[in-house]
Amino acid sequence: MSIDKTSTPAGDNTVENPEAASAAVPTVDPRLLVREQGFAGYVGEFKRKMKAGDLGSLPVVVGLLIIWAIFTSLNSNFLTAGNFSDMSIAMVGTGMIAVGIVFVLLLGEIDLSVGSVSGVAGATFAVLSVTHGMNEVLALVLAVLTGTVAGAVHGFIFAKIGVPAFAVTLAGLLFWQGFMLQILGSNGTINLDADGAVAKLTSYYFSDVAAAYGLAIVVTAGYFLAAFFDNRRRAAAGVPSRPLNEIIVRTVLLAVLAFVVAFVFNQYKGLPLAVVIFLAFLALTDFVLRRTAYGRKIYALGGSVEASRRAGINVDLVRISVFAIAGTFAAIGGLFVASKIASANQGAGTGEFLMNVIAAAVIGGTSLFGGRGRTWDALLGVMVIISIQYGLALQGIASPVQYMITGGVLLATVVIDAVTRRTQRSAGRA
């Protein structure tokens, strides 16, 4: 039997089997089908994600609401304006450092030195500005750069020499803790100027009610405009985009949340400066991770180092930069911690502080296995931890119980993460 093969010139687009081509059905993005089906489509999509283990931030949000409900029922002062404002300021120091940890976890690595690095940054600022009388702004910049350099050193040893990140940063934890004790000297504590720039990071409030409501308007309008113009770009490129009514519903929900929070702040002293700075850093880092080529490289490394290397990504440079970012945010967080207690002391960054930082990133939804997470996870995670701490403190429960409960929440989160990944692999989505 002979098969007649008809050769066609290069570049000829003639279809050899027009019947099959006419019967072919073009591939349609499932997201378009979901949106065309309206509310029922979204319900079906939600059920599909639950079965596939794609839980997102839902467990954290539900858990946070349950925590708030329990502590509010036990003590009516838990969600008062004053306590809510105090919790918001208390979470900034830990949350800032957790943002840096999110970057490291996205690589599938860990940084155990951030607690000590945060203590070094606070001590460096105190020694330069208080002991040696240096300009506060210059001292602040040098303190932050101390964290950047420390993180870059860790990243270099990990990426270039090949020492595991766990071992490098564990050594860094000990080294920087000793360095902090050395520069603080025998006294061990340096009080900050109460009217200085760093002290005001956590003590300054925008007392005008327009400030909190203005920020709520800016956040809501910014989200709407970003989503709207992003959809226009996607539509122009012929890729799936959200319908306008969905964007409006999401914007309305965000507006309700933003204005409720603004109202609560205005019932106390006003909008805390620390919260504004924290939200600004979260928005900036989220943009970097999700909207830039550099951010995509970080996610790619977390998925597969070898595939990333073959794709032409400079693996070593990305690793070093990520650890430098973690060190930078550790230093920034350390300055907020020093601001909160108005001093730099030998206990900064020690004890359970490191565990709280890592737990905040993981509890918020960042995977320990790399490749999945957002910097907003740091906000959710630190809200859970601070809520537990403040709620138990209002009940007069001792610290050991706080540790056990926080550890239980962390274990539950890691178990959910592991089960979710296993479910996704079974569903072919990993």
Side-chain angles (χ1 to χ4, degrees):
M1 179 183 294
S2 63
I3 299 177
D4 183 21
K5 295 182 180 179
T6 303
S7 60
T8 58
D12 190 353
N13 295 324
T14 303
V15 179
E16 296 184 2
N17 192 341
E19 293 80 6
S22 62
V25 179
T27 303
V28 179
D29 192 295
R31 291 174 293 183
L32 292 179
L33 298 177
V34 167
R35 289 159 186 164
E36 288 175 358
Q37 295 169 3
F39 180 75
Y42 284 102
V43 172
E45 177 71 358
F46 176 78
K47 292 179 179 178
R48 184 190 66 78
K49 286 184 175 181
M50 291 298 101
K51 291 180 180 179
D54 190 3
L55 302 176
S57 299
L58 181 62
V60 189
V61 175
V62 172
L64 183 62
L65 293 176
I66 293 174
I67 290 170
W68 284 359
I70 292 174
F71 285 126
T72 301
S73 65
L74 294 175
N75 192 317
S76 58
N77 292 322
F78 178 70
L79 282 183
T80 57
N83 198 56
F84 182 81
S85 182
D86 289 343
M87 287 195 299
S88 299
I89 295 173
M91 73 183 186
V92 173
T94 304
M96 281 288 192
I97 306 175
V99 169
I101 286 293
V102 168
F103 277 79
V104 177
L105 291 179
L106 286 175
L107 295 182
E109 303 296 341
I110 193 67
D111 189 341
L112 300 178
S113 69
V114 289
S116 297
V117 171
S118 70
V120 167
T124 300
F125 173 82
V127 170
L128 293 177
S129 64
V130 178
T131 305
H132 297 289
M134 181 181 289
N135 177 272
E136 279 203 337
V137 175
L138 180 57
L140 187 150
V141 172
L142 291 176
V144 173
L145 289 177
T146 300
T148 305
V149 171
V153 170
H154 299 156
F156 180 85
I157 297 174
F158 164 57
K160 292 295 186 179
I161 301 179
V163 180
F166 177 89
V168 174
T169 56
L170 178 60
L173 181 154
L174 299 173
F175 177 85
W176 296 116
Q177 186 172 344
F179 184 74
M180 176 186 67
L181 298 178
Q182 180 67 31
I183 63 175
L184 284 175
S186 57
N187 186 32
T189 300
I190 300 177
N191 295 323
L192 302 181
D193 180 7
D195 297 322
V198 169
K200 288 185 176 180
L201 287 175
T202 55
S203 64
Y204 185 82
Y205 295 81
F206 296 97
S207 56
D208 191 335
V209 295
Y213 291 128
L215 180 61
I217 292 173
V218 169
V219 169
T220 304
Y223 172 80
F224 176 79
L225 292 175
F228 179 76
F229 286 110
D230 181 61
N231 267 20
R232 288 188 61 178
R233 287 193 297 268
R234 295 173 69 86
V239 296
S241 59
R242 291 192 178 99
L244 182 60
N245 58 354
E246 181 182 341
I247 296 177
I248 293 175
V249 170
R250 288 170 175 261
T251 303
V252 170
L253 293 176
L254 177 61
V256 171
L257 175 62
F259 277 92
V260 167
V261 173
F263 174 79
V264 173
F265 280 140
N266 283 333
Q267 300 309 300
Y268 187 52
K269 295 180 180 180
L271 177 64
L273 173 62
V275 173
V276 177
I277 297 174
F278 187 32
L279 292 177
F281 272 111
L282 286 172
L284 175 63
T285 51
D286 181 68
F287 176 83
V288 170
L289 282 177
R290 298 198 304 122
R291 302 292 183 182
T292 67
Y294 174 72
R296 289 189 287 272
K297 290 176 182 178
I298 294 175
Y299 283 108
L301 258 67
S304 173
V305 175
E306 187 56 34
S308 299
R309 183 177 285 109
R310 293 184 179 183
I313 295 176
N314 190 331
V315 174
D316 291 346
L317 181 60
V318 173
R319 283 174 165 174
I320 293 172
S321 64
V322 164
F323 277 90
I325 290 172
T328 301
F329 274 96
I332 296 172
L335 292 174
F336 275 93
V337 172
S339 173
K340 188 73 170 60
I341 61 177
S343 67
N345 60 48
Q346 296 178 342
T350 60
E352 79 280 3
F353 185 74
L354 172 63
M355 292 300 103
N356 285 341
V357 168
I358 297 175
V362 176
I363 290 173
T366 303
S367 175
L368 281 170
F369 304 99
R372 190 178 75 229
R374 298 175 58 183
T375 51
W376 291 101
D377 295 340
L379 173 62
L380 289 174
V382 76
M383 287 175 69
V384 170
I385 291 176
I386 296 298
S387 296
I388 292 174
Q389 291 178 347
Y390 269 67
L392 294 176
L394 285 175
Q395 295 304 116
I397 298 177
S399 295
V401 179
Q402 296 183 26
Y403 297 158
M404 289 187 286
I405 293 178
T406 304
V409 173
L410 177 59
L411 177 61
T413 304
V414 175
V415 169
I416 291 174
D417 183 28
V419 172
T420 296
R421 281 189 169 265
R422 187 182 306 151
T423 305
Q424 289 178 337
R425 282 196 297 269
S426 301
R429 292 174 59 84

